[in-house]
């Protein structure tokens, strides 16, 4: 029986806010991968990207995902690129139901426009175009990984959490 929920999806789809609330409602532990990666590296994510490069970041992400994936009774907010390495999803799937949060490129741009400093991939000359290109490339990875999919564009945090709780109830093999 799976007892974790792993939230995947692009930056700005609400993984962190939804994850915190969902964990509280289901009485599970909330875990976010990005801060654990920062702890392991001893530096911030923008520093990892600028000093060591994206590949080094992805290697740390693989290590941290492996450690967290084995735990039980957790809501795990993954970084937007966790799906890029299949090994992450294979490991997460063992104990986690995978919930994919989506949002339109326009909404993602709105939600992320204030914190480009924290998200090195969006620190681009044309963030709107970057979002569209990354989304186009990543969509099949997200789709393939997802057990449950929720479009968050028109929903607030409470409504997303409510939908997740409703949908996981139908899922055999998951213990909420
Ligand atoms: C990334 C998303 C970020 C963070 C890093 C890379 C991505 O996490 O892991 O900047 O590749 O989409 P959030 O999705 O929590 O912003």
């Amino acid at each position: 029986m799976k007892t974790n929920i792993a939230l995947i999806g692009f930056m700005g789809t609400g993984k962190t806010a939804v994850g915190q609330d969902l964990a509280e409602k289901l009485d599970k532990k909330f875990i976010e991968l990005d801060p654990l990666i920062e702890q392991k590296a001893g530096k911030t994510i923008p520093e990892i990207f600028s000093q060591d490069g994206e590949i080094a970041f992805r290697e740390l992400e693989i290590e941290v995902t492996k450690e967290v994936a084995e735990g039980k009774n957790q809501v795990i907010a993954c970084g937007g690129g966790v799906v890029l390495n299949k090994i992450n999803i294979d490991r997460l799937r063992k104990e986690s139901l995978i919930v994919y949060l989506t949002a339109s490129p326009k909404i993602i741009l709105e939600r992320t426009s204030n914190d480009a400093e924290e998200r090195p991939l969006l620190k681009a000359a044309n963030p709107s175009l970057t979002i569209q290109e990354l989304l186009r490339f990543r969509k099949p990875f997200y789709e393939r990984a997802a057990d449950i999919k929720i479009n968050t564009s028109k929903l607030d945090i409470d409504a997303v959490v409510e939908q997740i709780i409703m949908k996981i109830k139908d899922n055999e093999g998951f213990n909420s």
Side-chain angles (χ1 to χ4, degrees), residues 42-73:
K43 46 181 125 174
T44 65
I45 287 176
E47 283 168 350
I48 305 171
F49 270 76
S50 66
Q51 295 169 16
D52 311 320
E54 181 171 350
I55 295 190
F57 172 81
R58 297 294 169 208
E59 281 169 3
L60 287 164
E61 189 174 47
I62 289 173
E63 281 178 42
V64 166
T65 306
K66 180 171 190 253
E67 289 160 16
V68 169
E70 290 167 3
K72 293 199 167 54
N73 230 13

Coordinates of all heavy atoms in Angstrom, one line a residue, residues 42-73:
G42 N 25.2 22.7 0.4 CA 25.7 23.8 1.2 C 25.7 25.1 0.5 O 26.4 26.0 0.8
K43 N 24.8 25.2 -0.5 CA 24.6 26.5 -1.2 C 23.2 26.5 -1.8 O 22.5 25.5 -1.8 CB 25.6 26.7 -2.3 CG 25.9 25.5 -3.1 CD 27.0 25.9 -4.1 CE 28.2 24.9 -4.1 NZ 29.2 25.1 -5.1
T44 N 22.8 27.7 -2.2 CA 21.4 27.9 -2.7 C 21.3 27.3 -4.2 O 22.3 27.1 -4.8 CB 21.0 29.4 -2.8 OG1 21.9 30.0 -3.8 CG2 21.2 30.1 -1.5
I45 N 20.1 27.1 -4.6 CA 19.9 26.5 -6.0 C 20.5 27.5 -7.0 O 21.2 27.0 -7.9 CB 18.4 26.2 -6.2 CG1 18.1 25.0 -5.4 CG2 18.1 26.0 -7.7 CD1 16.7 24.5 -5.4
P46 N 20.3 28.8 -7.0 CA 20.9 29.6 -8.0 C 22.5 29.5 -7.9 O 23.1 29.5 -9.0 CB 20.5 31.1 -7.6 CG 19.2 30.9 -6.8 CD 19.3 29.5 -6.1
E47 N 23.0 29.3 -6.7 CA 24.5 29.1 -6.6 C 24.9 27.8 -7.3 O 26.0 27.8 -7.9 CB 25.0 29.2 -5.2 CG 25.0 30.6 -4.6 CD 25.2 30.7 -3.1 OE1 25.1 29.6 -2.4 OE2 25.4 31.8 -2.6
I48 N 24.1 26.8 -7.0 CA 24.5 25.5 -7.6 C 24.5 25.6 -9.2 O 25.4 25.2 -9.8 CB 23.5 24.3 -7.2 CG1 23.4 24.2 -5.7 CG2 23.9 23.0 -7.8 CD1 22.3 23.3 -5.2
F49 N 23.4 26.2 -9.7 CA 23.3 26.4 -11.2 C 24.5 27.2 -11.7 O 25.1 26.9 -12.7 CB 22.0 27.0 -11.6 CG 20.9 26.0 -11.8 CD1 20.2 25.4 -10.8 CD2 20.5 25.7 -13.1 CE1 19.2 24.5 -11.0 CE2 19.5 24.8 -13.4 CZ 18.8 24.2 -12.3
S50 N 24.8 28.3 -11.0 CA 25.8 29.3 -11.6 C 27.2 28.7 -11.4 O 28.1 28.9 -12.2 CB 25.6 30.7 -11.1 OG 25.9 30.7 -9.7
Q51 N 27.5 28.1 -10.2 CA 28.9 27.7 -9.9 C 29.2 26.3 -10.5 O 30.3 26.0 -10.9 CB 29.1 27.7 -8.4 CG 29.1 29.1 -7.8 CD 29.1 29.0 -6.3 OE1 29.4 28.0 -5.7 NE2 28.7 30.1 -5.7
D52 N 28.2 25.4 -10.4 CA 28.4 24.0 -10.8 C 27.7 23.5 -12.0 O 28.0 22.4 -12.6 CB 28.0 23.1 -9.6 CG 28.6 23.6 -8.3 OD1 29.8 24.1 -8.3 OD2 27.9 23.6 -7.3
G53 N 26.7 24.2 -12.4 CA 25.9 23.9 -13.6 C 24.7 23.0 -13.3 O 24.6 22.4 -12.3
E54 N 23.8 22.9 -14.4 CA 22.6 22.2 -14.2 C 22.8 20.7 -14.0 O 22.1 20.1 -13.2 CB 21.6 22.5 -15.4 CG 20.3 21.7 -15.2 CD 19.2 22.1 -16.2 OE1 19.4 23.0 -17.0 OE2 18.2 21.3 -16.2
I55 N 23.8 20.2 -14.6 CA 24.0 18.7 -14.5 C 24.3 18.3 -13.0 O 23.8 17.4 -12.5 CB 25.1 18.2 -15.5 CG1 24.5 18.4 -16.9 CG2 25.4 16.7 -15.2 CD1 25.2 17.8 -18.0
A56 N 25.2 19.2 -12.4 CA 25.5 18.9 -11.0 C 24.2 19.0 -10.1 O 24.0 18.2 -9.2 CB 26.5 20.0 -10.5
F57 N 23.4 20.0 -10.5 CA 22.1 20.1 -9.7 C 21.3 18.8 -9.9 O 20.7 18.3 -8.9 CB 21.3 21.3 -10.2 CG 19.9 21.4 -9.6 CD1 19.7 21.9 -8.4 CD2 18.8 20.9 -10.4 CE1 18.4 21.9 -7.8 CE2 17.5 20.9 -9.8 CZ 17.3 21.4 -8.5
R58 N 21.2 18.3 -11.1 CA 20.4 17.1 -11.4 C 20.9 15.9 -10.6 O 20.2 15.1 -10.2 CB 20.3 16.8 -12.9 CG 19.6 17.9 -13.7 CD 18.2 18.1 -13.4 NE 17.6 19.3 -14.0 CZ 16.6 20.0 -13.6 NH1 16.0 19.6 -12.5 NH2 16.1 21.0 -14.2
E59 N 22.2 15.9 -10.5 CA 22.8 14.7 -9.7 C 22.4 14.8 -8.3 O 22.1 13.8 -7.7 CB 24.4 14.7 -9.9 CG 24.8 14.2 -11.2 CD 26.2 14.4 -11.6 OE1 27.0 14.9 -10.7 OE2 26.6 14.0 -12.7
L60 N 22.5 16.0 -7.7 CA 22.0 16.2 -6.3 C 20.6 15.8 -6.2 O 20.1 15.2 -5.2 CB 22.3 17.6 -5.9 CG 23.7 18.0 -5.6 CD1 23.8 19.6 -5.6 CD2 24.2 17.4 -4.3
E61 N 19.8 16.2 -7.2 CA 18.3 16.0 -7.2 C 18.1 14.5 -7.1 O 17.2 14.0 -6.4 CB 17.7 16.6 -8.4 CG 16.2 16.6 -8.4 CD 15.6 17.5 -9.6 OE1 16.1 17.3 -10.7 OE2 14.7 18.3 -9.4
I62 N 18.9 13.7 -7.9 CA 18.7 12.3 -8.0 C 19.1 11.7 -6.6 O 18.3 10.8 -6.1 CB 19.7 11.6 -9.1 CG1 19.1 12.0 -10.4 CG2 19.8 10.1 -8.9 CD1 20.0 11.6 -11.6
E63 N 20.1 12.1 -5.9 CA 20.5 11.6 -4.6 C 19.4 11.9 -3.6 O 19.0 11.0 -2.8 CB 21.8 12.3 -4.1 CG 23.1 11.8 -4.7 CD 24.3 12.6 -4.2 OE1 24.3 12.9 -3.0 OE2 25.1 12.9 -5.0
V64 N 18.9 13.1 -3.6 CA 17.9 13.5 -2.5 C 16.6 12.8 -2.8 O 16.0 12.3 -1.9 CB 17.7 15.0 -2.5 CG1 16.5 15.4 -1.8 CG2 19.0 15.7 -1.9
T65 N 16.2 12.7 -4.1 CA 15.0 12.0 -4.4 C 15.1 10.5 -3.9 O 14.1 10.0 -3.4 CB 14.7 12.0 -5.9 OG1 14.7 13.4 -6.3 CG2 13.4 11.4 -6.3
K66 N 16.2 9.9 -4.1 CA 16.4 8.5 -3.7 C 16.2 8.4 -2.2 O 15.4 7.5 -1.7 CB 17.8 8.0 -4.1 CG 18.1 6.6 -3.7 CD 19.4 6.2 -4.3 CE 19.6 4.7 -4.1 NZ 20.6 4.4 -3.1
E67 N 16.7 9.3 -1.4 CA 16.6 9.2 0.0 C 15.2 9.4 0.5 O 14.6 8.6 1.3 CB 17.5 10.3 0.7 CG 19.0 9.9 0.6 CD 19.9 11.2 0.8 OE1 19.4 12.2 1.3 OE2 21.1 11.1 0.4
V68 N 14.5 10.4 -0.1 CA 13.2 10.7 0.3 C 12.1 9.7 -0.2 O 11.2 9.4 0.5 CB 12.8 12.1 -0.2 CG1 11.3 12.4 0.0 CG2 13.6 13.2 0.5
A69 N 12.4 9.1 -1.4 CA 11.4 8.2 -2.0 C 11.1 7.0 -1.1 O 10.1 6.4 -1.2 CB 11.9 7.8 -3.4
E70 N 12.1 6.6 -0.3 CA 12.0 5.4 0.6 C 11.1 5.6 1.8 O 10.6 4.7 2.4 CB 13.4 4.9 1.0 CG 14.1 4.4 -0.2 CD 15.6 4.2 0.2 OE1 16.0 4.4 1.3 OE2 16.3 3.8 -0.8
G71 N 10.9 6.9 2.2 CA 10.1 7.2 3.4 C 8.7 6.9 3.2 O 8.2 6.7 2.1
K72 N 7.9 7.0 4.3 CA 6.5 6.7 4.2 C 5.7 7.8 4.8 O 6.2 8.5 5.6 CB 6.2 5.4 4.9 CG 6.8 4.1 4.2 CD 6.2 2.9 4.7 CE 6.5 1.7 3.8 NZ 7.8 1.3 3.6
N73 N 4.4 7.9 4.4 CA 3.5 8.8 5.0 C 3.9 10.3 4.8 O 3.8 11.1 5.8 CB 3.3 8.5 6.5 CG 1.8 8.4 6.8 OD1 1.0 8.3 6.0 ND2 1.5 8.4 8.1

